[in-house]
Amino acid sequence: MKKSLYFCILSLFIVCNYSCSSDDSDLNITPTPTDPSTVVAATMLDVSYGTDADQTYDLYLPQNRTLDTKVLVLVHGGSWIGGDKSDMNNYVELIQADLPQYAIVNINYRLATVTTSPFPMQLDDISLIVNDLKARNEEYIISEDYGFLGSSAGAHLSLLWSYAYDTQSDVNMVASIVGPTNLADDAYVNSDNPEIQQIFTIFGSQFDIPFLETYSPFHQVTTSAPPTALFYGGQDPLIPNSQGMDLSDRLTQLGVTHEFTFYPEESHGWSGQNAIDTWNKFTAFVNEYH
């Protein structure tokens, strides 16, 4: 079963399914016990962090955790207009198998429409989630140390929040799988790809270079950025090669710890040996920096 998950985990297409678990949990988390060995694993689904139906997250808490237990936040893709946290469920299973000491937060966020820009709305949602986790860290028995794993648009949000919105330096590491990094890149702004043009319509009248730079990890990253892992495919029709390469070069210039993995023959998602390679590199990165 685990082997099959390795082979399917990176089917990361930018247009995602809209399915969502309707399960809910009224599980009560007990206060921190004096003996961590008595702490049992717990799952809470569709935890609300706001008034919108999309403002929910799933929480997976490992057994024997303490207030030092670190957290991995998963951010789904979907062009900022679609997708669902259920798209990241395979990652949840893999993390529980290979990184069992971490708590997992698999998030939903409000989706953009033709009349509602994703920015800063979706970044504000991540801030709400982090603030909610902090407010409830003793209830959940977790630390305030976070790592991010995002795919596609979710990777863009993960990078940008970690670089520009983490004012308390709580993020230990961030990983991007095929995430846009520079929305002001000529490869985007002057693209004749109808899929890319359609995606950019959600930026509306604010679609200008200063706006795009404000919401681009490449333009917002600083020397204080957390360690960053980048994974990209050379045949991706939605993410120009310059996106991962340019951010990697920028991180090198700034002296930010990072790893950049480029698969020349892969597209906007991959399976097989390269998927296993990605997962092994990701888990090693988490173990080293988080």
Side-chain angles (χ1 to χ4, degrees), residues 7-69:
F7 280 88
C8 72
I9 191 63
L10 294 182
S11 297
L12 302 176
F13 298 102
I14 202 162
V15 178
C16 300
N17 292 327
Y18 287 78
S19 61
C20 178
S21 170
S22 60
D23 293 337
D24 199 357
S25 174
D26 295 322
L27 183 65
N28 291 319
I29 306 298
T30 58
T32 310
T34 56
D35 183 3
S37 66
T38 65
V39 179
V40 298
T43 297
M44 301 178 68
L45 302 181
D46 296 320
V47 178
S48 176
Y49 65 89
T51 58
D52 192 279
D54 284 331
Q55 291 178 310
T56 63
Y57 61 78
D58 295 341
L59 179 67
Y60 302 86
L61 301 171
Q63 66 180 6
N64 301 337
R65 64 190 180 279
T66 70
L67 290 175
D68 292 323
T69 294

Side-chain angles (χ1 to χ4, degrees), residues 147-244:
F148 278 83
L149 170 62
S151 67
S152 198
H156 163 269
L157 295 172
S158 298
L159 290 169
L160 186 56
W161 197 92
S162 299
Y163 292 171
Y165 288 74
D166 178 26
T167 58
Q168 301 300 312
S169 298
D170 294 316
V171 177
N172 290 344
M173 53 74 58
V174 57
S176 164
I177 300 178
V178 298
T181 67
N182 182 9
L183 301 179
D185 189 339
D186 284 343
Y188 273 144
V189 175
N190 298 318
S191 174
D192 57 3
N193 183 333
E195 291 182 88
I196 291 176
Q197 292 175 343
Q198 183 176 9
I199 291 170
F200 270 53
T201 61
I202 65 173
F203 301 145
S205 60
Q206 300 178 91
F207 184 4
D208 56 29
I209 296 302
F211 174 83
L212 297 177
E213 290 181 348
T214 296
Y215 295 107
S216 292
F218 175 86
H219 292 282
Q220 299 304 315
V221 66
T222 67
T223 56
S224 62
T228 301
L230 304 170
F231 301 93
Y232 290 84
Q235 304 301 315
D236 193 329
L238 298 171
I239 309 296
N241 291 347
S242 54
Q243 295 290 293

Side-chain angles (χ1 to χ4, degrees), residues 89-167:
N89 283 347
N90 282 343
Y91 287 107
V92 172
E93 295 183 40
L94 283 172
I95 291 169
Q96 289 178 319
D98 293 344
L99 298 165
Q101 70 273 34
Y102 290 91
I104 307 166
V105 182
N106 190 11
I107 74 169
N108 268 347
Y109 47 85
R110 288 171 291 173
L111 301 177
T113 68
V114 292
T115 59
T116 306
S117 173
F119 316 132
M121 176 179 68
Q122 293 172 354
L123 296 151
D124 291 342
D125 278 358
I126 295 177
S127 294
L128 288 173
I129 291 166
V130 171
N131 290 338
D132 189 65
L133 294 173
K134 286 186 172 185
R136 303 175 73 172
N137 78 301
E138 292 191 5
E139 175 189 353
Y140 292 158
I141 317 177
I142 55 175
S143 74
E144 296 182 5
D145 294 318
Y146 309 104
F148 278 83
L149 170 62
S151 67
S152 198
H156 163 269
L157 295 172
S158 298
L159 290 169
L160 186 56
W161 197 92
S162 299
Y163 292 171
Y165 288 74
D166 178 26
T167 58

